[in-house]
Amino acid sequence: MLDKIGIAKRIAQELKDGWYVNLGIGIPTLVANYVPFGIDVEFQSENGILGMGPFPFEGEEDPDLINAGKQTVTLRPGACIFDSAMSFAMIRGQHVQLTVLGAMEVSDEGDIANWKIPGRMVKGMGGAMDLVASAENIIVAMMHTNKAGESKLLKQCTLPLTGVKCVKKIVTELAVLDVTPEGFKLIERAPGVSVEHIIKSTEGRLIVEGEIPEMII
Amino acid sequence: MKKVVNDADEAIHDIQSGMTLMLGGFGLCGIPENCIAALVKKGINNLVCISNNAGVDHFGLGLLLQNRQIRKMISSYVGENDEFERQMLSGELEVDLIPQGSLAERCRAGGAGIPAFFTPAGYGTEIAEGKEVRIFNGKPHILESALTADFAIVKAWKGDHYGNLIFKGTARNFNPMMAMAGKITIAEVEELVEPGALDPNFIHTPGIFIQRIFQGKNYEKRIEQRTVRTKSQ
């Protein structure tokens, strides 16, 4: 079974040289720490950065330089700054190659819910709806089940949707799955996790074909 | 052409209860701190505020919320403010949540004379309810309308007497497009300079969009999430 860092490391293996990548808040942010050697990617932050760097050293924080999670960050050499309309032109115009974000639920058709729990939590969608509506390649990073042990990979989302038929791949602590027209397709198992465990933890349609390899992290 | 005013009090003197305001900023980054303080002091209420976020408890727009001066918020993300959540869940505060890119583009459109546009963001979600859907290039899009405001209030790093503005870092965010969409736009800047002191090649917001400008003071620039690494990392 993977921890959050393991999930981030596995997603980092999907990065391709030259890609522009938008990372959501939470586990997705960690992906930036595990970019494979020899691969050069630029991170886009939707509040207006291309070429976002790591957190600043203590004492060097700049209140005028934050990421979409309102955390203090730095700029890499060659970075650029722009306004919010320009930022979402990049996103909507499909100039960003990969979006990684968290989710509360994903359906086996690729619908995603991650912005609202009616009556309990209303924080807003931020940029998530724009990102999932336009990104060609969306990877969801999340835990396979919720705190009550219920599957988050569902036949249909029960929470208000963020986007429809958009998620392409999911990486959880248990597995890597592709979203196909026939449902979730099991691609890899996390170290030490059985196929049965994944089947039991997945409520939506799940395709298991042949031997399922264990992830190499 | 006299755009320079003395301070925030003078800049906002004719903002009245019930008006619609746009306020720049992302989180607490690039918010017009001086004008928000002046609005709190002026005590007007029933305001409709268009701003990506709603500040935090006890700072930014959170100050206006705490004072019950806001009737309605139009935002994309409001997760950092307990008082906001309380007022929203109790029904005291009207809230319109909009995808962030649509919010930015609606402001830009408002300032650019485009009454509405189609976007894929929000299709198939509750955001799309009641909105016209059209298919372009095989993909469904929803119709979103432009936003304008009685007053737009923005914060810049440097500005000149003609209202030309330069922003610093990610404090730019929503400020440039909101500056375009105000019937009257107020710019508060950290440094107000003489015309000619700013390089015309590096102006972010042309002065034509700005009606009033002043040099602000005592900027706090609070950091919401102070994240650092240690030298050994």
Side-chain angles (χ1 to χ4, degrees), chain B residues 198-203:
Chain B
L198 302 178
D199 185 337
N201 292 297
F202 294 94
I203 301 294

Side-chain angles (χ1 to χ4, degrees), chain A residues 24 33 36 39 56-57 66 114 135 151 172 174 195 214:
Chain A
N33 299 335
I39 298 245
F57 290 119
I66 61 169
N114 73 352
S151 181
T172 74
L174 303 181
V195 170
E214 194 170 280

